[in-house]
């Protein structure tokens, strides 16, 4: 039962929790005992049902992560009621497909969700983590940030590259405060996002298959938990050995 898990008593803020990687992360952290605050624009009823069925606790917050004021208002009451906020995993994201350059509108739209939205989540949670001198942030980067991509548009790679920089920034500032920050960099994971892409060249993946959302969530759970107690500022590829996605 969840209450006995490694994260029992902890509170986790997860965005993008309606589906895909965000939902898998919410489920994993809930199964480890954390109370989950899930931020998404989409319908989160399936996430709530699945977590409740496994004995976990989930509070859906209908919020656009690009609206920083709305986000701070949405989390204020549940964080006050639960008395703490320990873990932040900004999974909300969008992707555009493209070549070397792309239209200005796409650039702004993707940066706003993937970069501003992730930053807003961390900024909203930071004071609560600093108060307790304990916090764990896991940012969702991409192999596109590590190695470039011939599939996604430049704004997507740029947004994820900026998260890799923020990872090191938060790790530097958080170290003395007991706040750890790490990144995961998924390759090709089977979600709604990648179903909109051209079919993946599975032959390019050394492990010969694409990944599952839960395979990302398991690494996030490790980084959000106590077993990674001396890991901060790291970026872990979860890509089956893929170098170019
Ligand atoms: N799927 C992959 O192969 C892959 C690879 C590398 C990185 N990622 C990253 O993982 C994260 C999750 O991706 P996914 O594949 O699960 O995608 P997905 O499309 O399945 O889920 C994204 C979720 O984000 C939510 N969302 C989008 N914009 C939002 C906003 N403004 N406010 C609140 N919620 C919003 C959506 O409603 C959706 O529930 C993203 O950051 C993505 O860039 C995915």
């Amino acid at each position: 039962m969840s209450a006995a898990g490694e994260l029992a008593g902890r509170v986790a803020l997860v965005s993008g929790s309606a589906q895909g990687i965000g939902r898998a992360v919410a489920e994993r952290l809930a199964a480890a005992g954390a109370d989950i605050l899930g931020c998404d624009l989409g319908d989160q009823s399936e996430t709530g049902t699945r977590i409740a069925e496994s004995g976990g606790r989930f509070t859906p917050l209908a919020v656009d992560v690009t609206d920083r004021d709305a986000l701070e208002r949405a989390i204020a009451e549940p964080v006050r009621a639960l008395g703490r906020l320990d873990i932040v995993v900004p999974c909300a994201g969008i992707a555009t497909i493209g070549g070397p350059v792309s239209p200005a509108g796409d650039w702004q739209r993707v940066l706003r969700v993937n970069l501003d939205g992730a930053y807003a989540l961390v900024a909203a949670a930071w004071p609560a983590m600093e108060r307790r001198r304990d916090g764990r942030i896991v940012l969702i980067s991409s192999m596109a940030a590590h190695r470039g991509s011939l599939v996604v548009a430049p704004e997507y790679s740029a947004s994820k590259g900026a998260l890799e920089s923020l990872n090191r920034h938060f790790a530097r500032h958080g170290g003395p405060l007991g706040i750890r920050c790490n990144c995961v960099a998924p390759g090709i994971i089977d979600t709604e996002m990648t179903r909109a892409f051209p079919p993946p060249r599975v032959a390019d993946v050394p492990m010969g298959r694409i990944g599952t959302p839960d395979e990302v969530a398991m690494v996030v759970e490790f980084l959000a938990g106590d077993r990674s107690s001396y890991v901060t500022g790291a970026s872990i590829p979860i890509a089956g050995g893929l170098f170019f996605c």
Side-chain angles (χ1 to χ4, degrees), residues 16-22 39-42 63-66 90-94 113-114 140-143 156 160 186-194:
S17 40
Q19 63 183 42
I21 293 170
C39 300
D40 205 301
L41 288 169
V63 64
D64 182 336
V65 295
T66 66
C91 297
I94 55 175
V113 178
N114 294 6
I140 313 295
S141 171
S142 166
M143 283 308 288
Y156 184 82
K160 298 301 185 179
I188 309 169
I189 307 299
D190 183 19
T191 68
E192 293 295 326
M193 180 179 279
T194 45

Side-chain angles (χ1 to χ4, degrees), residues 13 37 39 61 70-80 85 124-125:
L13 179 64
L37 307 178
C39 300
L61 303 171
L71 177 65
E72 287 183 2
R73 279 196 304 276
I75 69 166
E77 174 50 27
V79 170
R80 193 201 57 74
L85 180 54

Side-chain angles (χ1 to χ4, degrees), residues 2-14 25-37 51 55-58 82 86-87 224:
S2 61
E6 182 188 352
L7 299 179
R10 302 253 170 69
V11 179
L13 179 64
V14 180
V25 167
E27 287 180 13
R28 273 269 161 201
L29 299 185
D35 266 283
I36 312 297
L37 307 178
I51 289 177
R57 292 167 300 274
F58 179 73
L82 293 164
D86 308 274
I87 296 162

Side-chain angles (χ1 to χ4, degrees), residues 28 103 107 183 225 244:
R28 273 269 161 201
W107 179 272
C183 258
F244 283 92

Side-chain angles (χ1 to χ4, degrees), residues 190-205:
D190 183 19
T191 68
E192 293 295 326
M193 180 179 279
T194 45
R195 280 171 216 143
F197 290 180
R201 287 168 46 95
V202 174
D204 292 344
V205 182

